[in-house]
């Protein structure tokens, strides 16, 4: 078999495995990675690198694997845009955590969201008590949207902006 075709097929298999593994483990918080998540990603990337390129450690072999991964990602996004069934299979759906001040404890437990995390999200949205929340939704990207207010609804969505270290004098 052509060695680059072999790399392409191996990369396809690893990509498919990673999509399924992330979907099955229920990892919703990809937008806010913590230290253990970063370590896991680094270790997985190191573990699957040899599975993709095999014994080929050449520049061309690495570029072939990277090109296949970019192409697979591009094609998958195009198919997901056009196919709702595929989109529903790959992407996670938003989950309602609080409705009219009432917490869904079963949902919070299933999603491993602690009381402290939910309180933090409410504070970030300027809400002091759960009973003031009309709707709290865990979005597919891991952020929590809060809709609060009595007569006039006030909707906020907070995404953490992490301070980035400056690279020399570039920033």
């Amino acid at each position: 078999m052509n060695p680059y075709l072999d790399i392409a097929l191996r990369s396809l298999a690893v990509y498919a495995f990673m999509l399924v593994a992330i979907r099955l483990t229920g990892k919703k918080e990809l937008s806010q990675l913590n230290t253990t998540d970063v370590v896991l990603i680094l270790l997985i990337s190191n573990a699957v690198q040899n599975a993709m390129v095999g014994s080929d450690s050449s520049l061309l072999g690495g570029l072939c694997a990277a090109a296949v991964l970019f192409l697979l990602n591009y094609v998958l996004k195009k198919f997901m845009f056009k196919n709702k069934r595929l989109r529903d299979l790959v992407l996670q759906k938003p989950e309602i955590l609080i409705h009219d001040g009432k917490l869904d404890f079963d949902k919070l437990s299933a999603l491993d969201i602690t009381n402290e995390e939910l309180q933090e999200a409410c504070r970030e949205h300027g809400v002091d008590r759960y009973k003031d929340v009309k709707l709290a939704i865990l979005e597919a990207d891991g952020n929590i949207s809060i809709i609060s207010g009595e007569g006039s609804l006030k909707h906020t969505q907070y995404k953490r902006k992490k301070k980035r270290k400056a690279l020399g004098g570039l920033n």
Side-chain angles (χ1 to χ4, degrees):
M1 180 189 290
N2 181 328
Y4 298 111
L5 179 59
D6 184 48
I7 290 173
L9 292 175
R10 288 168 172 260
S11 298
L12 175 100
V14 169
Y15 186 84
F17 170 80
M18 292 303 297
L19 274 177
V20 170
I22 289 172
R23 182 67 168 98
L24 290 178
T25 58
K27 187 64 184 160
K28 290 180 154 268
E29 297 82 19
L30 291 177
S31 67
Q32 297 177 4
L33 299 176
N34 61 34
T35 305
T36 59
D37 296 328
V38 172
V39 169
L40 177 67
I41 288 171
L42 290 173
L43 291 175
I44 287 173
S45 67
N46 190 41
V48 299
Q49 184 250 340
N50 288 337
M52 287 190 296
V53 295
S55 61
D56 185 344
S57 61
S58 68
L59 175 63
L60 201 51
L63 292 176
C64 177
V68 168
L69 293 174
F70 277 112
L71 180 65
L72 285 171
N73 193 53
Y74 176 79
V75 169
L76 181 65
K77 285 186 176 189
K78 287 293 183 184
F79 279 131
M80 285 184 352
F81 180 74
K82 294 179 181 186
N83 187 323
K84 183 177 177 357
R85 290 177 112 180
L86 179 63
R87 190 169 49 245
D88 290 343
L89 180 67
V90 174
L91 298 178
Q92 304 212 11
K93 293 186 174 34
E95 302 280 355
I96 296 175
L97 306 175
I98 303 174
H99 185 264
D100 288 331
K102 294 178 181 73
L103 284 78
D104 185 338
F105 293 105
D106 292 334
K107 188 75 63 183
L108 290 164
S109 177
L111 296 170
D112 294 326
I113 297 176
T114 65
N115 186 48
E116 291 78 18
E117 290 173 309
L118 193 56
Q119 286 176 338
E120 178 185 353
C122 286
R123 286 191 305 272
E124 288 171 346
H125 294 295
V127 178
D128 295 328
R129 300 174 305 219
Y130 294 140
K131 70 178 188 173
D132 296 331
V133 175
K134 288 286 186 192
L135 200 59
I137 302 172
L138 177 66
E139 303 292 353
D141 67 357
N143 290 302
I144 297 176
S145 294
I146 305 275
I147 300 174
S148 63
E150 290 293 320
S152 62
L153 293 178
K154 175 184 167 192
H155 174 253
T156 59
Q157 184 176 23
Y158 180 82
K159 290 191 178 197
R160 285 190 202 150
K161 295 180 182 166
K162 296 182 180 181
K163 292 183 180 179
R164 310 238 185 237
K165 293 182 180 177
L167 298 174
L170 297 177
N171 289 2

